[in-house]
Amino acid sequence: MPGREAERRGALWLGLLLHALLGCGSAQPPAACPAPCECSEAAKTVKCVNKNLTEVPPDLPPYVRNLFITGNRLDRLPAGALSAPRLAELGSLNLSGNHLRAVEAGALAALPALRQLDLGGNPLAELSPLAFGRAGPLEELALRGALRQQGALLGLAALLQAGALRNLSRLELANNGLLLLPAGMLGALPALRHLDLSNNSLVGLRNVSFQGLVRLQSLNLSDNSLGVLRNGTLAQWRGLPALQRISLSRNTWVCDCAIEDMVAWLKESDQVEGKEALSCAFPEKMAGRALLKLNVSELNCSTPVDVPSQLQTSYVFLGIVLALIGAIFLLVLYLNRKGIKKWMHNIRDACRDHMEGYHYREISDVLAA
């Protein structure tokens, strides 16, 4: 019995020794941090800030969930620069202020966990509609100051319209100098909750459809050049059940007849933040007047303001006048049909006499010859 007990103890110690040896042999060395960057495995974060990088470091540690590559000189983001095998857990990516001019097709397509992306402060000239592949999991996209070139704006519009970012809940397009948004740009964003269009130069929203934004909660249109909001836009906003906050401050409101419906909407709406501070910018005599305190009698309604409607009315009136003139002309012809018939007979007889005289002279000339 003592011999068997000794054997059991020996086998146990041998097993423990083998387990320890195997464990040591299979242990992975800590993931290396790229030379110019700062890494924290505990925080799952890598920061490569202001390092004059010209490309994404190829040896990023696989544990990274939060990646900051900012203030560098990347220029382009090609396909494969960020790939899933080594960045499968990457959820937040900040590429702001890198002098990026192009985000190529597939550049962000292989990141299955990516939820937040910041491309702000880059002079983008090209944003491929296939940058995220056919569909991406992205929920927040920041493009502050990155869409000042038309090519980037049109690329974003095509990307959104293709439905590649249907999970997007926050879209930041502030500080881009936008005058108008491409038609249909927001039509395939059913999950969007927050839209920031502040600090642009938007002059109108006629070609913007908000109807598909059924979950939209906040809309920031402050610091633009809006002069009036038309009934079509106001009706769309009324039909958005989740919309709670609209910011319209610091726009150039034109207080004439066209703003009457907007003022009525402002007075009844509880969606507009700081609506008491909204004031007229034009005409000069109305400058500074609070929109909520305007009366219809103060608005200059003597001059037509809706040019397309006025043109349409003018064309209709012109058509009616021409039709009336034509009817009168036909009526005159009908009432004078006997006189006209007699006049036509007289013309026919005169022509006949003239032709007979002409033939008589020809025959006389022939006989004389």
Side-chain angles (χ1 to χ4, degrees), residues 56 70 128 161 223 254 280 342 368:
V56 176
T70 64
S128 172
Q161 290 170 346
D223 295 289
V254 180
C280 305
K342 182 178 180 182

Side-chain angles (χ1 to χ4, degrees), residues 49-114:
V49 180
N50 298 326
K51 302 298 182 180
N52 287 321
L53 299 177
T54 58
E55 63 179 7
V56 176
D59 51 351
L60 291 168
Y63 62 73
V64 61
R65 293 182 182 175
N66 307 297
L67 177 58
F68 297 82
I69 304 179
T70 64
N72 294 288
R73 309 188 68 85
L74 298 187
D75 187 59
R76 304 183 72 82
L77 192 66
L82 297 156
S83 57
R86 58 191 176 90
L87 297 174
E89 298 184 15
L90 182 62
S92 177
L93 175 60
N94 191 330
L95 294 172
S96 61
N98 277 307
H99 298 85
L100 272 174
R101 295 187 56 81
V103 179
E104 299 179 359
L108 301 162
L111 298 171
L114 187 63

Side-chain angles (χ1 to χ4, degrees), residues 32-39 47-48 51 53 57-60:
C33 183
C37 304
E38 301 174 3
C39 304
K47 295 183 178 180
C48 309
K51 302 298 182 180
L53 299 177
D59 51 351
L60 291 168

Side-chain angles (χ1 to χ4, degrees), residues 149-170:
Q149 297 194 44
Q150 188 73 1
L153 177 61
L154 295 178
L156 175 65
L159 189 154
L160 296 179
Q161 290 170 346
L165 297 179
R166 296 185 65 85
N167 294 321
L168 207 63
S169 64
R170 180 181 295 273

